[in-house]
Amino acid sequence: MIKLAGIYNGQEWEDLNNSDLSQYWFNQALASYPCDSENILKIAQSYQQGKNGAPNDNRLAEIWLLKLDFDAMDNSDEKFEIAEFYLNSTSPTLVEKKRDALKYIESRATDGNQQSIELLASYYLTDTTDKQSVNKAINWLEKSANNGNVASM
C-alpha cells in the first residue's frame, strides 16, 4: 500500500502524480494496523519525510515508531533504520530511545559495521550536548578511514 501511495505521489513516474490516490493508499496502510515492523517503519518514514500521501509530521512518525519494541527486533536492517531515526530526532520524548539506539549503533560499529561507523561519526559531529563529541567523531572517522573508506579520509 505504501508503494502504491508513493507511485501516486509521483515519486517514480511524474505523470502518475495523483494526490487523492496517494492519500487513499496511505490511509489504507494506516488502516492495516496492526501490521509488521517493516510496514510500521515505512509509515513512520512517510510521516517523517512528508511523502507517500502523508503530511510531514515528525510527531506522528514518533508515535508510529513507539509501537515497535526496539529491543526485541530481530531484523538488523530495520533496527538500524529505527536507530538512525532516533539518533536524528530532536524530540525530548525520545531521549531514552536515543540512548538505546546509540548503544546499538556503537555495538555494531565496534564490530566493524561501516554503515554504523559512518552514522556515529555524523551523529557526533552534529551533537552539541557533549563537549567530547568532536573527539568521538574523529575517532570513528579514523576507524572508518582505516577500514578503507575514502570519504572518511
Side-chain angles (χ1 to χ4, degrees):
M1 292 176 227
I2 294 290
K3 183 73 170 174
L4 282 168
I7 289 171
Y8 285 117
N9 198 224
Q11 292 172 340
E12 296 189 35
W13 298 281
E14 186 66 34
D15 57 335
L16 289 179
N17 193 353
N18 183 323
S19 61
D20 290 338
L21 282 173
S22 181
Q23 181 81 46
Y24 170 79
W25 284 111
F26 184 74
N27 287 334
Q28 292 296 84
L30 295 178
S32 73
Y33 183 78
C35 53
D36 63 16
S37 59
E38 180 182 359
N39 285 317
I40 291 173
L41 178 59
K42 287 179 181 179
I43 289 168
Q45 289 171 329
S46 295
Y47 278 124
Q48 181 190 34
Q49 299 164 6
K51 66 179 192 176
N52 299 327
N56 188 334
D57 190 329
N58 282 326
R59 183 67 193 129
L60 287 173
E62 291 170 16
I63 288 169
W64 277 90
L65 282 181
L66 290 173
K67 295 175 187 291
L68 298 172
D69 183 354
F70 182 75
D71 293 328
M73 293 190 71
D74 292 332
N75 185 318
S76 63
D77 291 336
E78 288 176 12
K79 194 166 183 174
F80 179 85
E81 288 185 61
I82 293 167
E84 184 175 24
F85 179 92
Y86 288 149
L87 285 183
N88 292 327
S89 174
T90 58
S91 171
T93 61
L94 294 179
V95 171
E96 188 173 322
K97 295 287 188 183
K98 189 177 237 181
R99 276 191 287 255
D100 292 344
L102 189 58
K103 287 178 193 172
Y104 172 73
I105 297 297
E106 283 179 341
S107 170
R108 282 179 48 133
T110 300
D111 289 343
N113 180 279
Q114 187 62 36
Q115 188 180 23
S116 297
I117 292 171
E118 291 171 17
L119 177 59
L120 280 178
S122 174
Y123 170 74
Y124 284 125
L125 281 173
T126 59
D127 182 16
T128 58
T129 63
D130 183 355
K131 292 180 183 180
Q132 297 299 316
S133 288
V134 173
N135 292 335
K136 291 177 184 178
I138 290 170
N139 181 35
W140 286 111
L141 284 170
E142 286 176 350
K143 287 182 182 184
S144 178
N146 288 332
N147 286 344
N149 186 326
V150 176
S152 299
M153 297 178 185

